[in-house]
Amino acid sequence: MSSAYLPHEAEIFERLEEGRDIFTLRLRFTDPQMHAAYRFDPGQFNMLYVYGVGEIPISIVSDPEDEHAYDHTIRRLGRVTHTLAELKQGDRIGVRGAFGRGWPMQQAEDKDMVIITGGLGCAPVVSVINYVLNRRERFRRLIIMQGVKHANDLIWREKYETWNRMPDTQVVLAASQGGQGWPWATGHITELVSEIDFDPQNCSVMMCGPEGMMIAALKELLPRQVPEPSIWLSMERNMQCAVGHCGHCQHGPNFVCKDGPVFNYPEIKPLLGIRGF
């Protein structure tokens, strides 16, 4: 794209209702040449701009080789997301991106993959799951762990069931409040880390979600002798400019928008969980 500061017009190619307060926008740039040239890596994000309302960072959840559209799954939380939720197929918004450092997919090849997410934190790693399943021969065992606060918060139930039936793939789901008819575990997803079957010495762990959840998962992973450099975390901060200039997302010496949002655990270990960072 010509300028990192300049949004370019994109059209809503398709809109999907994913669940309570959650929806997916499938976007295409209106300039065919720009759309053909657009590239991103799993874990990167775009800035979505609603004209006259505001701009927000949203992870890209689709496969990077999908030529038709690039997808964003969004929860209605604020002014911009509520406006995005009202848009329909054919409406147009502004898009800047892709930004940030994504997941280390090449380093993860020929290893067991352990994906641990909480809440809507699953969105940034859905692109990883799509990437692995579309290139299954390059990776070993795939373990997908997703925790939610309430059973009603779980989206993509059918996808999880489909993924769980695939070879060398295990899906582990948990809700803090399960409720009637909830078929999976009740409690914190991190409590189940000790039960999953993978090779700690030849794995890549990717986590996204509330920082407390990731810290709890680390307390289960490290005693299993998972090397610290094999663990990657996607950090959530207040990203506003996406290019490391405004400073709102600064995390110690790093800017989450530019140096992350995906970090290797040893990079951020000294500041992880410390109030104020």
Side-chain angles (χ1 to χ4, degrees):
M1 303 182 83
S2 57
S3 169
Y5 297 97
L6 182 65
H8 293 268
E9 187 180 68
E11 182 180 73
I12 298 176
F13 175 73
E14 188 176 8
R15 185 189 184 287
L16 304 172
E17 200 70 34
E18 303 286 4
R20 188 183 62 176
D21 295 331
I22 299 171
F23 59 97
T24 293
L25 297 181
R26 309 201 70 215
L27 301 175
R28 291 180 58 89
F29 287 110
T30 54
D31 181 338
Q33 290 186 339
M34 178 170 292
H35 188 81
Y38 178 70
R39 297 288 183 275
F40 67 90
D41 294 322
Q44 286 192 297
F45 66 95
N46 281 330
M47 298 297 292
L48 305 189
Y49 176 51
V50 182
Y51 303 111
V53 179
E55 187 182 52
I56 54 171
I58 301 289
S59 298
I60 309 164
V61 300
S62 48
D63 189 284
E65 293 187 7
D66 185 340
E67 299 176 353
H68 301 291
Y70 49 94
D71 302 353
H72 298 277
T73 296
I74 305 165
R75 182 191 295 272
R76 294 177 181 88
L77 279 179
R79 184 180 70 254
V80 178
T81 56
H82 275 89
T83 305
L84 287 168
E86 299 303 317
L87 300 180
K88 303 180 296 295
Q89 183 178 352
D91 287 340
R92 298 183 178 191
I93 63 173
V95 174
R96 291 193 293 135
F99 293 115
R101 178 172 61 175
W103 302 102
M105 300 311 300
Q106 289 187 343
Q107 292 183 42
E109 292 187 5
D110 200 31
K111 297 180 180 178
D112 287 351
M113 296 274 296
V114 180
I115 296 171
I116 306 173
T117 67
L120 195 58
C122 58
V125 294
V126 167
S127 59
V128 172
I129 297 170
N130 290 327
Y131 187 95
V132 172
L133 294 177
N134 289 334
R135 301 156 185 81
R136 197 66 187 88
E137 73 285 356
R138 301 186 192 175
F139 301 89
R140 297 178 62 178
R141 187 166 172 74
L142 173 62
I143 300 169
I144 304 167
M145 305 187 72
Q146 163 72 21
V148 293
K149 183 175 182 180
H150 192 280
N152 292 334
D153 296 332
L154 183 69
I155 61 174
W156 296 318
R157 290 191 181 215
E158 292 182 0
K159 284 187 179 180
Y160 283 114
E161 292 169 354
T162 300
W163 293 336
N164 199 35
R165 291 193 295 268
M166 293 186 171
D168 295 323
T169 303
Q170 179 183 6
V171 172
V172 181
L173 304 175
S176 300
Q177 303 173 41
Q180 189 174 9
W182 174 253
W184 296 289
T186 299
H188 296 126
I189 190 65
T190 52
E191 296 168 355
L192 303 176
V193 171
S194 60
E195 301 178 12
I196 58 175
D197 180 21
F198 69 102
D199 182 355
Q201 294 301 310
N202 188 32
C203 73
S204 187
V205 179
M206 300 181 183
M207 297 197 286
C208 189
E211 208 158 307
M213 182 218 74
M214 294 194 288
I215 292 171
L218 286 165
K219 292 178 180 177
E220 300 291 336
L221 291 164
L222 296 176
R224 295 191 64 173
Q225 306 305 315
V226 176
E228 292 185 353
S230 298
I231 301 173
W232 300 81
L233 303 87
S234 182
M235 301 297 290
E236 295 179 355
R237 287 296 184 274
N238 179 18
M239 299 187 293
Q240 295 195 10
C241 73
V243 291
H245 284 179
C246 74
H248 284 84
C249 67
Q250 189 162 0
H251 186 253
N254 297 310
F255 294 98
V256 173
C257 69
K258 182 170 67 74
D259 303 311
V262 175
F263 291 93
N264 195 217
Y265 173 51
E267 289 181 277
I268 55 172
K269 177 182 176 181
L271 298 179
L272 193 64
I274 296 179
R275 191 178 181 87
F277 288 95

